[in-house]
Amino acid sequence: MINMEIQERFVDFLSYKTYCRIVFSDGGKVPLLLVHGGPGSGHDSFELLDDLAYQDERTVIMYDQLGCGRSSDESIPDELLCEKTWTMELENLLKNLGFPEVYLLGHSWGGMLVMSYLIERRPSGIRGAILSSTLSSAKLWEEEAKRLVGYLGEADRKAVKEALESKDFSSLEFENAVAHYSRLFIAPEKGEDLPECLRRQKPKQGRKAYERNWGPCEFVPTGELKAFDYTQRLGEITCPVLVISGTDDESTPLINKTIYDALSCPKSWSLLSGARHMTYFDRKEEYIKAVMEFMKREDDRHGQR
């Protein structure tokens, strides 16, 4: 009988610690490591994928990037809240966990981090990668976000236009527009009927990480990631890739087709009907099924059960 248990630990990184949550299985399958979005979010919503671990009897690992969630520490200087640090942290985590092979799943910003990690570091031991509702070009994301804003009501469109022109994102009208945009294309509103893992309060440092790297506005990247573009280099990824996204996702079908077409490795794309950006909430069962089938296909190809 295969044993499953939830483990929590902190992994030393620089002079700080990375919080790590592991749904551990002793079944011997190649583990799945989840890389969360933001930048500045945390692992919390990934707890929805505990079901994947139990259904597949596979170890699933999630963690909070430095400055996020339980890895947040007010002593961390702002300059460490960046892609370079989080790439080093991912490498450090993989080294410390000691698994010879893993699957990587990166959602949103996490997918960007996985892309750059695979291309720039060319790591060994990555059996496959899942690029979940992510982007390879910040410029294309901005173009698509502005297009999606066009689906909002007139008052919301006006508030967004004025905020972008003035670079003042503090008005109540703009906040309302963002909330309406989020309900349409990102995630459900917070409420008592949501799972506990989606209702947790995020640390303030996570917001700092977001604004430093993306900017104060979801629609227009103005932070350190504003020039992010790996589209022309996606052909350098050699491991098999599953692209997964939603039809109602702010990571639009065009963004994901751009990624899919640029990949030259073994690849597949699962487009989930009616799913917003939090695809693994809106279409949880279909999402888990697609990820499990992808990993089973690769496990079978390697002669493992």
Side-chain angles (χ1 to χ4, degrees):
M1 181 178 178
I2 292 174
N3 295 314
M4 304 286 296
E5 64 173 324
I6 294 178
Q7 304 174 352
E8 294 181 286
R9 66 180 73 168
F10 285 90
V11 175
D12 289 335
F13 174 58
L14 302 176
S15 58
Y16 307 99
K17 293 184 181 295
T18 300
Y19 169 77
C20 187
R21 181 180 181 275
I22 303 172
V23 187
F24 180 76
S25 167
D26 62 3
K29 291 183 178 179
V30 173
L32 171 64
L33 175 65
L34 310 178
V35 185
H36 69 72
S41 186
H43 83 280
D44 305 86
S45 65
F46 276 152
E47 291 183 23
L48 294 171
L49 298 180
D50 283 1
D51 288 351
L52 185 155
Y54 287 100
Q55 289 179 35
D56 205 22
E57 297 181 330
R58 184 188 302 269
T59 294
V60 174
I61 306 142
M62 54 198 80
Y63 72 103
D64 291 336
Q65 295 161 25
L66 195 69
C68 309
R70 293 182 64 182
S71 300
S72 180
D73 183 332
E74 290 301 322
S75 70
I76 300 170
D78 291 357
E79 58 266 24
L80 281 183
L81 302 177
C82 65
E83 180 182 357
K84 180 180 178 181
T85 297
W86 291 320
T87 299
M88 291 168 54
E89 182 181 39
L90 176 57
E91 288 182 315
N92 181 71
L93 186 63
L94 288 169
K95 178 182 177 181
N96 276 274
L97 291 173
F99 295 111
E101 283 189 289
V102 297
Y103 289 99
L104 290 178
L105 185 156
H107 182 76
S108 196
W109 147 248
M112 298 163 68
L113 185 60
V114 167
M115 282 180 205
S116 63
Y117 173 62
L118 293 175
I119 292 169
E120 300 292 352
R121 304 302 177 100
R122 302 182 183 274
S124 60
I126 308 301
R127 179 165 289 190
I130 299 99
L131 301 179
S132 173
S133 295
T134 189
L135 59 138
S136 60
S137 165
K139 181 176 183 295
L140 179 58
W141 179 278
E142 177 180 343
E143 292 170 356
E144 284 292 271
K146 289 179 177 177
R147 181 179 66 81
L148 293 179
V149 166
Y151 288 95
L152 300 178
E154 182 178 354
D156 288 338
R157 296 196 306 271
K158 180 174 182 290
V160 171
K161 181 175 184 293
E162 290 177 352
L164 292 178
E165 289 175 349
S166 67
K167 296 182 172 53
D168 180 359
F169 306 103
S170 62
S171 73
L172 179 60
E173 291 78 9
F174 178 73
E175 289 181 10
N176 289 335
V178 171
H180 295 155
Y181 180 92
S182 180
R183 282 201 299 273
L184 284 173
F185 305 116
I186 303 179
E189 288 184 290
K190 290 189 182 299
E192 292 302 316
D193 56 334
L194 291 178
E196 187 276 332
C197 65
L198 300 184
R199 291 187 274 114
R200 292 177 194 155
Q201 187 70 31
K202 299 291 193 299
K204 292 181 180 179
Q205 196 173 37
R207 184 65 192 180
K208 185 188 299 183
Y210 179 82
E211 293 193 0
R212 178 179 176 82
N213 287 275
W214 190 257
C217 176
E218 178 75 11
F219 314 125
V220 180
T222 55
E224 293 188 4
L225 292 172
K226 65 183 178 182
F228 185 96
D229 195 337
Y230 274 88
T231 305
Q232 300 304 316
R233 297 188 62 189
L234 288 175
E236 297 177 35
I237 295 176
T238 57
C239 68
V241 170
L242 168 66
V243 176
I244 187 166
S245 62
T247 58
D248 299 349
D249 195 336
E250 66 172 342
S251 174
T252 65
L254 175 60
I255 290 171
N256 284 273
K257 185 178 188 301
T258 299
I259 293 170
Y260 182 82
D261 287 348
L263 292 165
S264 57
C265 58
K267 60 187 179 180
S268 54
W269 180 12
S270 181
L271 182 61
L272 305 181
S273 177
R276 293 165 294 181
H277 194 51
M278 196 174 287
T279 43
Y280 51 88
F281 172 82
D282 282 342
R283 292 292 182 268
K284 179 179 170 181
E285 291 182 6
E286 295 96 322
Y287 187 98
I288 287 175
K289 183 174 184 287
V291 173
M292 285 175 54
E293 287 179 348
F294 170 73
M295 293 189 295
K296 183 181 186 304
R297 186 163 62 245
E298 293 309 311
D299 288 345
D300 289 346
R301 195 165 64 84
H302 284 77
Q304 297 180 354
R305 73 177 186 82

